[in-house]
Coordinates of all heavy atoms in Angstrom, one line a residue:
E81 N -19.8 10.9 -21.5 CA -21.1 10.3 -21.1 C -21.5 9.2 -22.2 O -21.9 8.1 -21.8 CB -22.1 11.3 -20.9 CG -21.9 12.2 -19.7 CD -22.0 11.5 -18.4 OE1 -22.7 10.4 -18.3 OE2 -21.4 12.0 -17.4
L82 N -21.4 9.6 -23.5 CA -21.9 8.7 -24.5 C -21.0 7.4 -24.6 O -21.5 6.3 -24.8 CB -21.9 9.4 -25.9 CG -22.9 10.6 -25.9 CD1 -23.0 11.1 -27.4 CD2 -24.3 10.2 -25.5
N85 N -21.7 5.1 -21.8 CA -22.9 4.4 -22.1 C -22.6 3.2 -23.0 O -23.1 2.1 -22.8 CB -24.0 5.3 -22.8 CG -24.7 6.1 -21.7 OD1 -24.7 5.8 -20.5 ND2 -25.5 7.1 -22.2
S86 N -21.8 3.4 -24.0 CA -21.4 2.3 -24.9 C -20.7 1.2 -24.2 O -20.9 0.0 -24.4 CB -20.5 2.8 -26.1 OG -21.3 3.8 -26.8
L87 N -19.8 1.6 -23.3 CA -19.0 0.6 -22.5 C -20.0 -0.2 -21.6 O -19.9 -1.4 -21.5 CB -17.9 1.3 -21.7 CG -16.8 2.0 -22.6 CD1 -15.8 2.7 -21.7 CD2 -16.1 1.0 -23.5
D88 N -20.9 0.6 -21.0 CA -21.8 -0.1 -20.1 C -22.7 -1.1 -20.9 O -23.2 -2.1 -20.3 CB -22.8 1.0 -19.4 CG -22.1 1.6 -18.2 OD1 -21.0 1.1 -17.8 OD2 -22.6 2.7 -17.8
A89 N -22.9 -0.8 -22.2 CA -23.7 -1.7 -23.0 C -22.9 -2.9 -23.5 O -23.4 -3.6 -24.4 CB -24.4 -0.9 -24.1
D110 N -21.7 2.3 -31.5 CA -21.2 1.1 -30.8 C -21.9 -0.2 -31.2 O -22.9 -0.1 -32.0 CB -21.3 1.3 -29.3 CG -22.7 1.2 -28.7 OD1 -23.5 0.3 -29.1 OD2 -23.1 2.1 -27.9
G112 N -22.9 -2.4 -28.9 CA -23.4 -3.0 -27.6 C -24.8 -3.6 -27.7 O -25.3 -3.9 -28.8
T113 N -25.4 -3.7 -26.6 CA -26.7 -4.4 -26.5 C -27.8 -3.7 -27.2 O -28.8 -4.3 -27.6 CB -27.1 -4.6 -25.0 OG1 -27.1 -3.3 -24.4 CG2 -26.2 -5.5 -24.3
G114 N -27.7 -2.4 -27.4 CA -28.8 -1.6 -28.1 C -29.9 -1.3 -27.1 O -29.9 -1.8 -25.9
I115 N -30.8 -0.4 -27.5 CA -31.9 -0.1 -26.7 C -33.2 -0.5 -27.4 O -33.4 -0.2 -28.6 CB -32.0 1.5 -26.5 CG1 -30.7 2.0 -26.0 CG2 -33.1 1.9 -25.6 CD1 -30.6 3.5 -26.0
E119 N -38.2 1.5 -25.5 CA -37.5 2.2 -24.4 C -36.8 3.4 -24.8 O -36.2 4.2 -24.0 CB -36.5 1.3 -23.6 CG -37.2 0.1 -22.9 CD -36.3 -0.7 -22.1 OE1 -35.1 -0.3 -22.0 OE2 -36.7 -1.8 -21.7
L122 N -38.0 6.6 -23.2 CA -37.7 6.6 -21.8 C -36.2 6.9 -21.5 O -35.9 7.5 -20.5 CB -38.1 5.2 -21.3 CG -38.2 5.1 -19.7 CD1 -39.2 6.1 -19.2 CD2 -38.6 3.6 -19.4
A123 N -35.3 6.4 -22.4 CA -33.9 6.5 -22.1 C -33.5 8.0 -22.0 O -32.5 8.4 -21.4 CB -33.1 5.9 -23.3
C124 N -34.4 8.9 -22.6 CA -34.1 10.3 -22.6 C -34.8 11.0 -21.5 O -34.8 12.3 -21.5 CB -34.4 10.9 -24.0 SG -33.6 10.1 -25.3
E125 N -35.5 10.3 -20.7 CA -36.2 10.9 -19.5 C -35.2 11.1 -18.4 O -34.3 10.3 -18.2 CB -37.4 10.1 -19.1 CG -38.5 9.9 -20.0 CD -39.3 11.1 -20.2 OE1 -39.3 12.0 -19.3 OE2 -40.0 11.3 -21.2
A128 N -34.0 8.1 -15.6 CA -34.4 6.8 -16.2 C -33.2 6.1 -16.5 O -32.3 6.5 -17.3 CB -35.3 7.0 -17.4
T129 N -33.0 4.9 -15.9 CA -31.8 4.1 -16.2 C -32.1 2.6 -16.1 O -33.1 2.2 -15.5 CB -30.7 4.4 -15.1 OG1 -29.6 3.6 -15.3 CG2 -31.2 4.2 -13.7
S130 N -31.3 1.9 -16.8 CA -31.5 0.4 -16.8 C -30.5 -0.2 -15.9 O -30.3 -1.4 -15.8 CB -31.4 -0.2 -18.2 OG -30.1 0.2 -18.7
K131 N -29.7 0.7 -15.2 CA -28.5 0.1 -14.5 C -28.7 0.0 -13.0 O -27.8 -0.6 -12.3 CB -27.3 1.0 -14.8 CG -27.0 1.1 -16.3 CD -26.0 2.1 -16.7 CE -26.1 2.3 -18.3 NZ -25.2 3.3 -18.7
L143 N -20.5 2.3 -15.3 CA -20.0 3.7 -15.3 C -21.1 4.7 -15.0 O -20.9 5.7 -14.3 CB -19.2 4.0 -16.6 CG -18.0 3.0 -16.8 CD1 -17.6 3.1 -18.3 CD2 -16.9 3.3 -15.9
G144 N -22.2 4.5 -15.6 CA -23.4 5.4 -15.4 C -24.4 4.7 -14.5 O -24.3 3.5 -14.2
F145 N -25.3 5.4 -13.9 CA -26.4 4.9 -13.1 C -27.3 6.0 -12.7 O -28.3 5.7 -12.0 CB -25.8 4.1 -11.9 CG -24.8 4.9 -11.0 CD1 -25.3 5.9 -10.2 CD2 -23.5 4.7 -11.2 CE1 -24.4 6.7 -9.4 CE2 -22.6 5.5 -10.4 CZ -23.0 6.4 -9.6
R146 N -27.1 7.2 -13.0 CA -27.9 8.3 -12.6 C -29.0 8.6 -13.5 O -30.0 9.3 -13.2 CB -27.1 9.6 -12.4 CG -26.1 9.5 -11.3 CD -25.4 10.8 -11.0 NE -24.8 11.3 -12.3 CZ -23.5 11.2 -12.5 NH1 -22.7 10.7 -11.6 NH2 -23.0 11.7 -13.6
G147 N -28.9 8.1 -14.8 CA -30.0 8.3 -15.7 C -30.1 9.8 -16.1 O -31.2 10.3 -16.4
E148 N -29.0 10.5 -16.2 CA -29.1 11.9 -16.4 C -28.4 12.4 -17.7 O -28.6 13.5 -18.1 CB -28.5 12.7 -15.2 CG -29.4 12.7 -14.0 CD -28.8 13.6 -12.9 OE1 -27.7 13.3 -12.5 OE2 -29.5 14.5 -12.5
A149 N -27.6 11.5 -18.3 CA -26.8 12.0 -19.4 C -27.6 12.3 -20.6 O -27.5 13.4 -21.1 CB -25.7 10.9 -19.7
L150 N -28.4 11.3 -21.1 CA -29.2 11.6 -22.3 C -30.1 12.7 -22.1 O -30.2 13.6 -23.0 CB -29.9 10.3 -22.7 CG -28.9 9.2 -23.2 CD1 -29.7 8.0 -23.8 CD2 -28.0 9.7 -24.3
P151 N -30.9 12.8 -21.1 CA -31.8 14.0 -20.9 C -31.0 15.3 -20.9 O -31.5 16.3 -21.4 CB -32.5 13.7 -19.6 CG -31.8 12.6 -18.9 CD -31.1 11.8 -20.0
L161 N -31.0 9.3 -31.6 CA -30.6 7.9 -31.3 C -31.0 7.0 -32.4 O -32.2 7.1 -32.8 CB -31.3 7.4 -30.0 CG -31.1 8.2 -28.7 CD1 -31.9 7.6 -27.6 CD2 -29.7 8.3 -28.3
S163 N -31.0 2.9 -32.8 CA -30.6 1.7 -32.0 C -31.4 0.5 -32.4 O -32.5 0.5 -32.8 CB -30.8 2.0 -30.5 OG -30.2 1.0 -29.7
G192 N -26.8 -2.6 -31.8 CA -26.0 -1.5 -31.3 C -26.7 -0.2 -31.3 O -27.9 -0.1 -31.6
T193 N -25.9 0.8 -31.0 CA -26.5 2.2 -30.8 C -25.6 3.2 -31.4 O -24.4 3.2 -31.3 CB -26.7 2.5 -29.3 OG1 -27.5 1.5 -28.7 CG2 -27.5 3.8 -29.2
T194 N -26.2 4.2 -32.2 CA -25.5 5.3 -32.6 C -26.2 6.6 -32.0 O -27.4 6.7 -32.2 CB -25.4 5.4 -34.1 OG1 -24.8 4.2 -34.6 CG2 -24.6 6.6 -34.6
V195 N -25.4 7.4 -31.3 CA -26.0 8.6 -30.8 C -25.3 9.8 -31.5 O -24.1 9.9 -31.5 CB -25.7 8.7 -29.2 CG1 -26.4 10.0 -28.7 CG2 -26.3 7.5 -28.5
Ligands
ADP21 P1 -27.3 6.1 -17.2 O1 -26.1 5.8 -18.0 O2 -26.9 6.8 -16.0 O3 -28.2 4.9 -17.0 P2 -28.1 7.7 -19.4 O4 -29.0 8.9 -19.5 O5 -26.7 7.9 -19.9 O6 -28.1 7.2 -18.0 O7 -28.7 6.6 -20.3 C1 -30.0 6.2 -20.0 C2 -30.2 4.7 -20.4 O8 -30.2 4.6 -21.8 C3 -29.2 3.8 -19.9 O9 -29.5 3.3 -18.6 C4 -29.3 2.6 -21.0 O10 -30.3 1.7 -20.6 C5 -29.7 3.4 -22.2 N1 -28.5 3.6 -23.1 C6 -27.9 4.8 -23.3 N2 -26.9 4.7 -24.2 C7 -26.9 3.4 -24.6 C8 -26.1 2.6 -25.5 N3 -25.1 3.2 -26.2 N4 -26.3 1.3 -25.6 C9 -27.3 0.7 -24.9 N5 -28.1 1.4 -24.0 C10 -27.9 2.7 -23.9

Side-chain angles (χ1 to χ4, degrees):
E81 293 293 338
L82 297 184
N85 278 348
S86 297
L87 296 177
D88 281 347
D110 70 48
T113 54
I115 307 171
E119 292 183 12
L122 196 56
C124 304
E125 296 286 338
T129 177
S130 57
K131 300 170 194 175
L143 298 166
F145 51 79
R146 294 187 302 261
E148 287 184 299
L150 291 184
L161 305 177
S163 192
T193 306
T194 301
V195 181

